[in-house]
Amino acid sequence: MRVENKRCCDKGYTGIDVFRLVAALLVITIHTSPLAGLSGTADFILTRIVARVAVPFFFVTSGFFLISRYNYQTAKLCAFVRKTALVYAAAIALYIPVNLYNGYFRMDYLLPNLIKDIVFDGTLYHLWYLPASIMGGAIAWGLVRKLDYRKAFAAGAALYLVGLFGDSYYGTLEHVPVCSSFYALIFQASDYTRNGIFFAPVFFIMGGFIADKGDSGENRGESGSVNKCEIVREQSGCRTSKSVRTASEKTVSGKAVSGKKAWMTGVCFGLMLALMLVEGLALHHFQVQRHDSMYVFLPPCVYFLFLVLLQFRGKRSVWLRDLSLIVYLIHPMMIVVIRMAAKVLRLQGLLVDNSVVHFLSVTSVSVAFGAAAVALWGRFGRKPKKRDTSTDRAYIELNLENLAHNVAVLRKAMPPKCELMAVVKAEAYGHGMCETAVQLDKLGVRAFAVATIDEGIRLRRCGVRGEVLILGYTAPERAWELRRYDLAQTLIDYAYACRLHERGYRVKVHVKIDTGMHRLGFDAGCHIEEIMDVFAMEHFNVNGIYTHLCAADSLDEEDVLFTKQQIADFYSVLRRLKKEGIRIPKIHIQSSYGLLNYPELKCSYVRAGIALYGVLSSPGARTRLQLDLRPVLSLKAKVVLLRFVPKGETVGYGRTFVADRDSVIAILPVGYADGFPRSLSNRGSYVLINGGWAPVVGRICMDQLAVDVTDIPGVEVGMTATLIGYDGGEEIAAPVVADESGSITNELLSRMGSRLGHMY
């Protein structure tokens, strides 16, 4: 999936970025004890209790970005492991001189100890964090993939509990023979239970859980998403439509709720920190600690700390991420440098013995070194490649800002308590299913509709959460996949429901009611007892019941009467079910035209397909609601050749175009195999080039088409032609192209993109 520009609606996690550096400085306090010269108790509180949130915070952050939404993508885990391993290898190499100086390589049993340190403890005291990240991230990723979050967290918590009694609570069990023998075996492999097996996984899982459940402090609902785009537009001076401004004004009432939630989160963090302080001091007083890294209240403390940090959103500060990593890695080297400098300058009393000055000196030098390294890397390091469409013969361009706008407009038109169900089947109508669905997920959409189980599985592997409804047929033999990927299956009739139920897997289902389309579903007039039986089937979790309005796009009197009868028949089924004591699940009737022509219907979902992408099926379609929808997709191609065709010569297959004058013909490398209809040949269709209208001439081929640019000055090879979309002040609308080809927009768009790149 290729992305060109930053998404306008994204805001960086400023709180996380800033606290990365704070956490790195807290790690320095652990290794320099800045308050030791003032108060032993105060230094213990700072370095052995408060600063212990630093490394777990790093783990939660990694889990937040690694696991959620992408917990089925092995490539993302591999990339994380590979990058962390490279950093670890570089750090090991960096500290070889220090290891030589302190006699590390002269220890007894060097090889087994070296293996143990590389795998668990780090070859220098602070490097344990890197192998713990690799191991903990892999364990957490595997647990979340195989189990749900609840079970994965239970497993991570169990590992943490084992580690707890090998760390801060060791003294409570060390005299129990079985336990002491068990931990003796553990300590032969690792000097600490604070490692990638017992310590890290629970924090990685916690980070993924926070992101997956949406506890990120951003309002993922209607108004929150629009408001973010609104801010960007205001800053850039762009015009904002009235509908978007109105939607963004709804955030005012939401701010109080958000503020209250933030306040409560802060209180919870303060409470957990206070409890951890009491716990740490009590353990220290009774001297039961073998080490002092793991506390009962450390996970909840870090959890609420992370939620507090997520409340702070703003401009991304990627350089803080890099700076914090360098400070973490380099500060032991700076401790050595400061001590050597103090010895040479005979300033040990100031730079070393004075704990506060020692901490400040190490911190200052470490941050200065890190800042210089980040600056040099930014200047001379390898920069990410920018998306370059100049190498593409043709491509689909997608405007994610318009997608966010359409979501807001549709939500505003929907009845209260009604949710948007985004129809993303057929590659999201040619827009690219995964990228589109992930973007919608970020906008707070929590229900999706697909046509097949394989489309549903792809959504899950892209990390899309919430309800995923399969509108079409799935073989009952694949019921285990419905369960595994938490997909909802449409029950297309009673016999099918029985076959699916016999597979013995508890799955989510939606009951389809046939109210006159006579395609899929239980007959509204004849099958009420069969529908009731479905609700009683023990292996079904009936999440929804719906029908499809087959003539909702028409306002002709006959079609309106038919549609109203469909609606009446559907609600009649619901009344009969309710009369029999059956709890009615979520209902949905409206597709795009169902909302546009029957907005008064109070349903649980609106299944928005074509309208979500900013277009209607046909040009000039009459609808009761006239919404400010904006097209998301454009189709563009490069001019790869200019040919002079003398008067009387022909162009293309069948010699259907004969030049009536000396002409300049531009060749575009796009054809019907890319979804541009062959039926547009010789039908008076146009493309836009250099602000002018260029008629398509001759037959459209599988891979190329020809346009006449004789009357458009300045056309050159390499210029971009727009087949669908805007060029300057002109537009070629997808519904018009579809209509001219004898089809509808839905078909036109869904046939595009099988071999074209997508630029978002």
Side-chain angles (χ1 to χ4, degrees):
M1 214 55 80
R2 292 177 284 185
V3 181
E4 181 188 39
N5 296 320
K6 295 180 181 179
R7 299 183 180 96
C8 78
C9 295
D10 283 354
K11 295 177 70 176
Y13 296 101
T14 306
I16 294 177
D17 290 337
V18 172
F19 199 80
R20 288 180 196 266
L21 182 58
V22 174
L25 300 184
L26 287 175
V27 173
I28 296 179
T29 69
I30 295 173
H31 300 142
T32 59
S33 297
L35 302 181
L38 303 176
S39 167
T41 301
D43 189 71
F44 178 82
I45 291 173
L46 173 62
T47 63
R48 298 299 182 262
I49 302 178
V50 175
R52 291 307 186 189
V53 304
V55 172
F57 160 77
F58 288 134
F59 290 149
V60 173
T61 301
S62 296
F64 183 79
F65 293 108
L66 170 67
I67 295 176
S68 176
R69 303 183 183 174
Y70 304 96
N71 53 351
Y72 294 110
Q73 289 191 354
T74 307
K76 193 167 184 69
L77 173 68
C78 291
F80 172 78
V81 170
R82 182 174 62 253
K83 291 178 181 178
T84 307
L86 288 173
V87 172
Y88 187 31
I92 290 173
L94 175 67
Y95 280 102
I96 287 177
V98 176
N99 292 133
L100 289 170
Y101 175 78
N102 63 25
Y104 177 85
F105 296 105
R106 296 194 297 271
M107 76 170 78
D108 295 332
Y109 308 107
L110 175 61
L111 183 58
N113 278 291
L114 183 61
I115 294 173
K116 179 185 72 173
D117 288 345
I118 289 175
V119 174
F120 288 108
D121 300 333
T123 56
L124 204 69
Y125 51 85
H126 72 308
L127 295 183
W128 71 272
Y129 159 72
L130 295 169
S133 293
I134 295 171
M135 194 176 303
I139 291 173
W141 185 90
L143 288 173
V144 171
R145 179 175 183 177
K146 297 297 182 184
L147 311 171
D148 58 27
Y149 270 106
R150 181 178 300 178
K151 293 177 181 177
F153 185 80
L159 290 172
Y160 186 83
L161 186 64
V162 173
L164 193 71
F165 285 100
D167 194 274
S168 295
Y169 285 80
Y170 182 71
T172 62
L173 295 179
E174 66 175 328
H175 299 300
V176 179
V178 175
C179 295
S180 61
S181 299
F182 172 72
Y183 283 104
L185 290 174
I186 292 177
F187 293 136
Q188 287 182 15
S190 173
D191 290 341
Y192 310 91
T193 52
R194 176 211 62 189
N195 57 38
I197 295 177
F198 301 111
F199 186 58
V202 70
F203 295 106
F204 272 89
I205 295 168
M206 187 184 297
F209 173 81
I210 292 172
D212 198 59
K213 298 304 179 185
D215 294 332
S216 61
E218 68 175 307
N219 185 345
R220 294 179 182 272
E222 170 189 341
S223 56
S225 300
V226 178
N227 190 41
K228 290 186 286 183
C229 286
E230 179 70 14
I231 292 171
V232 173
R233 292 192 187 98
E234 288 179 357
Q235 291 175 343
S236 62
C238 297
R239 180 184 62 84
T240 306
S241 73
K242 180 180 179 181
S243 61
V244 174
R245 288 197 301 272
T246 305
S248 73
E249 287 166 4
K250 295 182 181 179
T251 60
V252 175
S253 61
K255 288 180 180 177
V257 176
S258 178
K260 183 178 180 181
K261 181 180 177 182
W263 181 81
M264 290 299 296
T265 303
V267 169
C268 290
F269 165 63
L271 177 61
M272 292 301 108
L273 181 60
L275 290 172
M276 191 170 74
L277 288 172
V278 172
E279 179 187 12
L281 290 171
L283 293 171
H284 182 62
H285 175 75
F286 292 108
Q287 297 185 351
V288 298
Q289 298 161 295
R290 184 176 189 271
H291 301 289
D292 40 40
S293 303
M294 304 176 71
Y295 298 102
V296 170
F297 289 102
L298 179 58
C301 183
V302 175
Y303 176 80
F304 286 110
L305 168 64
F306 202 81
L307 294 188
V308 169
L309 295 173
L310 288 174
Q311 306 299 321
F312 299 95
R313 305 295 301 275
K315 186 178 180 181
R316 289 189 66 196
S317 301
V318 177
W319 64 275
L320 280 174
R321 177 195 64 192
D322 299 332
L323 176 60
S324 64
L325 176 62
I326 294 172
V327 168
Y328 180 94
L329 295 176
I330 204 66
H331 77 268
M333 185 73 76
M334 297 301 103
I335 292 175
V336 174
V337 169
I338 292 296
R339 290 180 178 273
M340 291 178 62
K343 186 175 182 180
V344 171
L345 299 174
R346 298 181 179 180
L347 294 175
Q348 291 97 327
L350 176 63
L351 296 179
V352 178
D353 297 338
N354 188 314
S355 59
V356 175
V357 175
H358 181 57
F359 164 73
L360 293 175
S361 301
V362 172
T363 299
S364 300
V365 176
S366 300
V367 171
F369 181 92
V374 170
L376 288 172
W377 179 257
R379 184 178 179 88
F380 300 109
R382 187 175 64 181
K383 294 178 173 59
K385 293 182 179 180
K386 293 183 178 180
R387 177 76 168 85
D388 183 9
T389 59
S390 64
T391 60
D392 290 341
R393 61 177 182 89
Y395 57 94
I396 290 172
E397 185 176 271
L398 297 159
N399 189 322
L400 296 182
E401 184 175 344
N402 283 358
L403 181 65
H405 169 84
N406 295 340
V407 168
V409 169
L410 290 170
R411 280 173 164 163
K412 183 185 175 186
M414 287 158 43
K417 298 182 180 180
C418 183
E419 298 179 61
L420 178 66
M421 178 180 282
V423 182
V424 292
K425 61 182 180 178
E427 287 297 328
Y429 292 56
H431 292 66
M433 185 175 70
C434 278
E435 177 66 24
T436 300
V438 167
Q439 183 67 15
L440 291 168
D441 181 70
K442 292 179 180 180
L443 293 170
V445 176
R446 290 293 176 267
F448 298 85
V450 295
T452 69
I453 186 174
D454 294 306
E455 288 181 335
I457 291 171
R458 279 187 61 207
L459 283 189
R460 291 301 192 212
R461 288 178 172 171
C462 293
V464 171
R465 50 198 158 179
E467 188 87 342
V468 175
L469 171 63
I470 300 169
L471 298 171
Y473 170 82
T474 297
E477 292 78 8
R478 302 188 71 178
W480 68 275
E481 292 178 275
L482 294 174
R483 170 67 177 172
R484 177 182 177 185
Y485 293 100
D486 191 29
L487 304 174
Q489 173 60 42
T490 292
L491 298 182
I492 60 175
D493 72 353
Y494 185 68
Y496 174 79
C498 292
R499 295 199 306 273
L500 184 63
H501 185 263
E502 287 171 358
R503 306 307 298 183
Y505 294 95
R506 185 164 181 80
V507 297
K508 295 178 180 178
V509 296
H510 285 221
V511 180
K512 178 74 175 289
I513 307 298
D514 179 15
T515 55
M517 190 171 185
H518 300 317
R519 193 172 61 175
L520 302 178
F522 295 74
D523 190 284
C526 306
H527 295 165
I528 189 66
E529 292 184 359
E530 294 177 347
I531 298 170
M532 291 169 56
D533 284 347
V534 166
F535 278 87
M537 292 181 179
E538 61 178 340
H539 295 141
F540 286 160
N541 181 10
V542 183
N543 278 16
I545 184 168
Y546 72 101
T547 193
H548 191 60
L549 307 178
C550 55
D553 59 333
S554 171
L555 292 181
D556 291 344
E557 183 178 357
E558 184 177 347
D559 290 327
V560 170
L561 290 174
F562 183 85
T563 300
K564 288 183 177 180
Q565 186 60 52
Q566 280 191 283
I567 296 169
D569 290 344
F570 178 74
Y571 279 104
S572 176
V573 170
L574 298 187
R575 284 193 298 271
R576 293 181 66 184
L577 292 175
K578 192 172 183 180
K579 185 177 180 180
E580 296 296 331
I582 294 175
R583 183 188 63 83
I584 305 301
K586 291 187 175 182
I587 63 173
H588 43 111
I589 304 176
Q590 302 144 300
S591 57
S592 292
Y593 279 99
L595 174 65
L596 295 175
N597 286 328
Y598 301 90
E600 69 279 0
L601 297 177
K602 292 180 170 57
C603 299
S604 305
Y605 294 121
V606 166
R607 302 186 307 269
I610 196 67
L612 182 63
Y613 307 107
V615 289
L616 296 181
S617 297
S618 304
R622 293 187 302 124
T623 57
R624 288 176 59 195
L625 286 184
Q626 301 291 324
L627 301 182
D628 177 27
L629 300 173
R630 300 175 182 176
V632 176
L633 180 146
S634 300
L635 175 63
K636 300 187 177 184
K638 297 294 183 182
V639 175
V640 296
L641 191 64
L642 291 173
R643 305 198 69 94
F644 175 75
V645 177
K647 180 179 180 179
E649 293 290 317
T650 61
V651 175
Y653 283 118
R655 306 176 67 238
T656 58
F657 171 77
V658 181
D660 59 2
R661 57 177 176 171
D662 291 344
S663 303
V664 179
I665 304 299
I667 305 300
L668 308 181
V670 62
Y672 60 77
D674 301 300
F676 197 73
R678 184 177 184 272
S679 57
L680 289 174
S681 303
N682 304 309
R683 296 280 292 271
S685 57
Y686 289 81
V687 304
L688 293 169
I689 302 179
N690 203 28
W693 293 81
V696 177
V697 297
R699 288 181 182 168
I700 296 171
C701 308
M702 180 180 289
D703 310 304
Q704 288 100 26
L705 60 84
V707 296
D708 188 349
V709 295
T710 307
D711 296 327
I712 305 175
V715 176
E716 298 176 357
V717 170
M719 281 186 170
T720 299
T722 300
L723 290 80
I724 296 174
Y726 285 92
D727 182 0
E730 304 291 344
E731 180 192 15
I732 297 177
V736 173
V737 175
D739 187 61
E740 290 176 349
S741 70
S743 184
I744 60 173
T745 314
N746 311 50
E747 180 186 14
L748 173 71
L749 298 183
S750 63
R751 287 188 172 187
M752 288 185 180
S754 61
R755 64 179 190 177
L756 294 177
H758 289 68
M759 185 183 74
Y760 295 92

